Amino acid sequence: MIQAIAFYLFATMMITSAIVTITARNPVHSVLWLILAFFNAAGLMVLVGAEFIAMLLIIVYVGAVAVLFLFVVMMLDIDFSELRGGFIRNAPLGLLLAAVLLGELVFGILVSSAGDLHIAKAATVAATPAGLSNTAAIGALLYTRYLFEFEAAGMILLVAMIGAIVLTHRQRGDTRGQNVSKQVARRPQDATINLQPEVGKGVQL
Amino acid sequence: MTPFLYSQGLPYAWAWAIATIVEILLIALPVMLSVAIVIYLDRKIWAAMALRKGPNVVGPFGVLQSFADGLKVFLQETIIPAAANKALFLIAPIITFTVALLAWAVLPFAKGAMLADINVGLLYILAISSLGVYGIVIAGWSSNSKYPFFSAMRASAQMISYEVSIGFILICVVLWSGSFNLGAIVEAQRGFGLFGLINGFWCSPLLFPVWVMFLISSMAETQRAPFDLTEAESELVAGYQTEYSSMAFALYWLGEYANVLLMCALNATLFWGGYLPPINLPVFYLVPGLIWLILKILFGFFVFSWVKATVPRYRYDQLMRLGWKIFLPLSLAFVVVISGYLMLTGHFA
């Protein structure tokens, strides 16, 4: 009973906020509605018993990705009415994309209900083996059966990160960076001299 | 509490709902009350270190000062700037305050005494604390004013930077205790150090530096001095709070201190043995666990105030350097070293 109420609450909230995300006029509002959609998705994950995935969804998407979205949207002063100008021209392409996505979704559901394709399934059928927490089960699978896939994914992310840094980093010759260890190592004796000049005579520095 | 109400003849759903609401109130109200007291303590400690008297007029020794301030702020007019985004402007302080209270749900106050005994407690706390930035960013943007906006930019960059190293630090603790559940983490610290004499992860030579990093990172995460760049008054007036007045301002004030208290509580739970007494001797178990937890939280808070009173504010580039170039590699190295040590000693066997 209470699960059903929670499911319909999360599901309707999620669909509503997803719709508002694409219809909202203000891009910042869009991002905030997107965050609400993420939240409800996490709620649905908790309902199916995948609490680890739910928490990761919030930490990664709400805590990091959406913050960066918000950052960019706030910093860039995008004129969205200008972007909307090409709506009619791009509508057929958008409809085509939507149709392809819908077709793939239906196809995917049909294939998975047909069953018995062993590529995507773990050796054990149950999502979580009995007596093992969700997190431990995922960890055990990731670090044994899917170790190489896991490492490959990590490698790809690392390369992507380094690539982004290399692409955006430029070394400018005319700036002077701060050498912290040099600053810390500097003593008063290196920087100052103590003179006691006689009256009427100048000081030669 | 649910079994008790259930045995009194209530239907299970009602028993559960009533028990949960009562438990939420049992946690949230004392936290709010202690925020008021802790604000007073902060001002007293700060005053003592500056050889001043601090608040001493309202009530005996000035203990009622926070309540008087609260009443004053409550009676003031809420001013909303004409160019502000009204809905978001009012939602932002509510987000900050709510998020600061939410995370207390998974903290163990005694053995098994927590509101939500979930397996992913530590991840929940990470998730909730990563939401705190929204209250500030939304405030900065919706105020439609330059200083709050700069402050919001600083806040989001700062909190994201330090969350990374806090994540690695928490992984060290999780590796050693073998669980994300905060109750299990506290139990793993029972008789941990010095031949079973001390409760708490802090006394391990490998985890002590991790604890120091956690303390400094939690100051940066809660934007306390010396990392209070988001409200650096010499540069940004009052930062993201500049346009706020009355209750909205008070909510930020309360939320900020509730966050500080939460970080102190986390510090106590993860490294100082939570509700366990600091020394693992039967005599010390006579004092209830809640008292030990409160004492540890207050000790952590004293360190926070001490640092606030004595350390000058960091520059922004220094803050970023500390986060990305020192804490991130160091905490990553500690994850590797600690997991290597645990493998070597057969901890996982």
Side-chain angles (χ1 to χ4, degrees), chain A residues 2 26 28-29 31-32 35 39 51-52 55-56 58-59 61-68 70-71 73-75 133-135 178 180-181 183, chain B residues 16 85 88 118-120 122-128 130-131 133-134 137-138 141-142 149 152-154 156-157 160 163 180 315 317-318 321:
Chain A
I2 194 147
N26 192 327
V28 173
H29 291 184
V31 176
L32 294 175
I35 292 165
F39 251 103
E51 73 266 15
F52 184 72
M55 290 304 149
L56 281 199
I58 293 184
I59 293 173
Y61 282 91
V62 180
V65 175
V67 173
L68 291 181
L70 207 57
F71 215 85
V73 169
M74 283 177 179
M75 293 282 271
S133 80
N134 204 306
T135 318
Q178 191 180 3
V180 176
S181 55
Q183 284 181 344
Chain B
W16 178 82
N85 191 321
L88 289 182
I118 52 175
N119 281 328
V120 286
L122 206 52
L123 285 179
Y124 171 81
I125 284 190
L126 258 186
I128 293 297
S130 67
L131 295 180
V133 69
Y134 283 109
V137 170
I138 293 173
W141 182 78
S142 67
F149 190 68
M153 289 297 149
R154 280 186 178 186
S156 46
I160 290 179
E163 243 157 48
F180 276 119
R315 226 169 44 213
D317 61 312
Q318 290 173 327
R321 182 176 163 273

Side-chain angles (χ1 to χ4, degrees), chain B residues 97-291:
Chain B
F97 185 65
T98 318
V99 160
L101 285 181
L102 270 180
W104 290 86
V106 293
L107 273 182
F109 294 100
K111 189 167 181 169
M114 44 175 115
L115 180 62
D117 193 359
I118 52 175
N119 281 328
V120 286
L122 206 52
L123 285 179
Y124 171 81
I125 284 190
L126 258 186
I128 293 297
S129 71
S130 67
L131 295 180
V133 69
Y134 283 109
I136 296 174
V137 170
I138 293 173
W141 182 78
S142 67
S143 299
N144 205 354
S145 159
K146 287 292 175 280
Y147 290 125
F149 190 68
F150 279 132
S151 166
M153 289 297 149
R154 280 186 178 186
S156 46
Q158 176 176 344
M159 289 177 82
I160 290 179
S161 312
Y162 280 85
E163 243 157 48
V164 180
S165 61
I166 283 190
F168 280 126
I169 289 166
L170 295 187
I171 285 176
C172 293
V173 175
V174 167
L175 276 173
W176 214 301
S177 60
S179 175
F180 276 119
N181 184 310
L182 286 171
I185 289 175
V186 172
E187 283 304 319
Q189 300 176 48
R190 195 184 284 273
F192 178 75
L194 228 75
F195 311 108
L197 200 63
I198 290 177
N199 295 325
F201 277 147
W202 62 271
C203 62
S204 151
L206 274 177
L207 281 171
F208 186 77
V210 173
W211 168 67
V212 174
M213 278 195 284
F214 180 76
L215 193 69
I216 299 173
S217 299
S218 57
M219 280 170 201
E221 181 76 8
T222 50
Q223 287 142 22
R224 283 280 289 194
F227 305 110
D228 55 347
L229 286 142
T230 53
E231 41 199 293
E233 63 279 341
S234 53
E235 306 150 28
L236 293 179
V237 192
Y240 58 91
Q241 305 169 339
T242 306
E243 305 290 343
Y244 280 90
S245 56
S246 154
M247 264 326 267
F249 175 75
L251 280 183
Y252 271 118
W253 197 234
L254 292 175
E256 192 182 309
Y257 273 91
N259 265 329
V260 171
L261 267 189
L262 175 74
M263 276 300 172
C264 296
L266 261 189
N267 182 31
T269 310
L270 296 178
F271 290 97
W272 288 81
Y275 53 79
L276 297 172
I279 295 169
N280 194 16
L281 288 176
V283 185
F284 292 95
Y285 283 95
L286 295 177
V287 181
L290 187 62
I291 306 260

Side-chain angles (χ1 to χ4, degrees), chain A residues 60-105:
Chain A
V60 174
Y61 282 91
V62 180
V65 175
V67 173
L68 291 181
F69 273 9
L70 207 57
F71 215 85
V72 171
V73 169
M74 283 177 179
M75 293 282 271
L76 302 176
D77 207 7
I78 311 168
D79 187 6
F80 266 66
S81 59
E82 212 171 275
L83 285 180
R84 287 225 171 86
F87 179 73
I88 299 294
R89 194 158 40 86
N90 291 327
L93 188 66
L95 281 178
L96 185 70
L97 263 177
V100 169
L101 284 177
L102 183 69
E104 280 188 346
L105 260 181

